[in-house]
Amino acid sequence: MTVLMNYARMFSLEGRTALIAGASRGIGLATARAMAHQGAHTVLAARSSAALRSEAADLRGAGLSARSIRLDVTDEGSIEAAAEACPDADILVNVAGTNIRRRFEDYTREEYELIMQTNLHGIAQLTRIVGGRMAEGGRGGKVINIGSLMSVLGLPYVSIYAMTKSALAGLTRVLAAEWAHADVQVNCIAPGFILTDLNRDMWEPSRMTDWLHKVQANPRLGTPNDIAGLAAFLASSAADYITGQVIAADGGYTTTAKWPFEPLT
């Protein structure tokens, strides 16, 4: 007898609670919106309390389930408070991050510590509490880390950022192995060149977009929604057999190359 699959249910997040760390703008906000529209009770977390309250109110106004909490990933107490304010989270998306572009030898100690705490140490602490609760509770769950192209390759002038994003890729693989017994899937998205407030100035010179057009299979800059859709998929039961992966969403940058050759006709 053929078993009919409820495909809509596979991609639904109804009955799930999603905590989005770093949800005030960019990829985090787009992901929060996507998951809310897929039926999750979505908790938007970031430092920008007023902006978060407004975004959560907009989602509720659209008939969706959402609330906001304050989270500063550079503050241990704030991390613990946010985790305790969301005890039933079974989806955790770690988006919070920052970047400073310099030659490696020019970073100050303060800049090093800020990037490390924001992109790695605070995320690790939040994941230990929220993800650990999923694993210990035995109810399963999803942890989705937002890495970077720097999780899989190197580009100049982002050395400290690259250290943190490479570490997130490693953490993803290890936690996928450690928490598999509890039906917790852990994956990492490696966004390509996504236009956000963190890099908007960098992409203003035409030489940057001209270069991208020459080297990337899909020549456009990405948008936060290009990442949000993948995150919503990884949070769904359709992705239950995917774990420990670093998945590039990058227009083909890491896997393809373009050249001027044209075949003779």
Side-chain angles (χ1 to χ4, degrees):
M1 182 177 68
T2 301
V3 177
L4 295 178
M5 178 67 72
N6 186 333
Y7 289 103
R9 187 176 181 83
M10 284 176 60
F11 295 95
S12 172
L13 299 181
E14 288 186 13
R16 311 291 293 277
T17 297
L19 173 60
I20 316 297
S24 61
R25 59 183 180 173
I27 291 171
L29 179 56
T31 298
R33 289 170 174 167
M35 292 192 176
H37 278 274
Q38 287 299 101
H41 171 60
T42 304
V43 183
L44 293 82
R47 290 180 299 176
S48 308
S49 300
L52 288 183
R53 285 194 297 269
S54 176
E55 291 292 345
D58 286 347
L59 290 171
R60 291 194 300 271
L64 306 173
S65 180
R67 66 185 176 96
S68 64
I69 59 174
R70 188 179 186 280
L71 169 64
D72 181 351
V73 293
T74 68
D75 183 311
E76 183 175 349
S78 177
I79 294 168
E80 293 178 355
E84 292 310 309
C86 198
D88 56 347
D90 47 12
I91 300 168
L92 172 64
V93 187
N94 290 314
V95 191
T98 192
N99 194 10
I100 299 170
R101 298 173 187 85
R102 299 208 193 294
R103 290 176 176 82
F104 179 59
E105 59 271 26
D106 291 339
Y107 282 98
T108 67
R109 182 69 184 188
E110 291 74 20
E111 290 169 339
Y112 175 89
E113 295 291 350
L114 173 65
I115 298 170
M116 280 288 182
Q117 182 61 41
T118 304
N119 294 10
L120 180 60
H121 299 322
I123 293 298
Q125 182 184 1
L126 182 66
T127 303
R128 180 182 62 82
I129 301 171
V130 177
R133 189 183 291 141
M134 296 179 203
E136 292 169 6
R139 67 181 186 272
K142 309 279 187 175
V143 177
I144 301 163
N145 295 316
I146 302 300
S148 163
L149 286 182
M150 300 307 99
S151 298
V152 295
L153 55 76
L155 287 171
Y157 314 128
V158 288
S159 53
I160 313 306
Y161 178 83
M163 290 166 68
T164 63
K165 295 301 185 177
S166 298
L168 278 183
L171 180 64
T172 295
R173 289 185 283 264
V174 171
L175 292 183
E178 287 192 15
W179 291 346
H181 73 280
D183 194 28
V184 177
Q185 289 83 53
V186 186
N187 289 291
C188 178
I189 299 174
F193 300 113
I194 309 297
L195 188 62
T196 69
D197 291 343
L198 277 179
N199 61 26
R200 200 172 305 277
D201 291 348
M202 186 182 75
W203 287 103
E204 285 184 355
S206 61
R207 69 178 185 276
M208 293 295 293
T209 49
D210 289 346
W211 165 80
L212 189 68
H213 185 81
K214 292 174 182 176
V215 300
Q216 188 167 284
N218 185 337
R220 69 170 173 85
L221 285 167
T223 71
N225 282 332
D226 290 319
I227 307 305
L230 177 55
F233 163 70
L234 290 173
S236 75
S237 61
D240 283 351
Y241 204 53
I242 301 172
T243 197
Q245 301 300 310
V246 179
I247 303 172
D250 65 354
Y253 183 79
T254 56
T255 53
T256 66
K258 295 172 71 174
W259 60 1
F261 171 76
E262 293 288 346
L264 297 175
T265 56

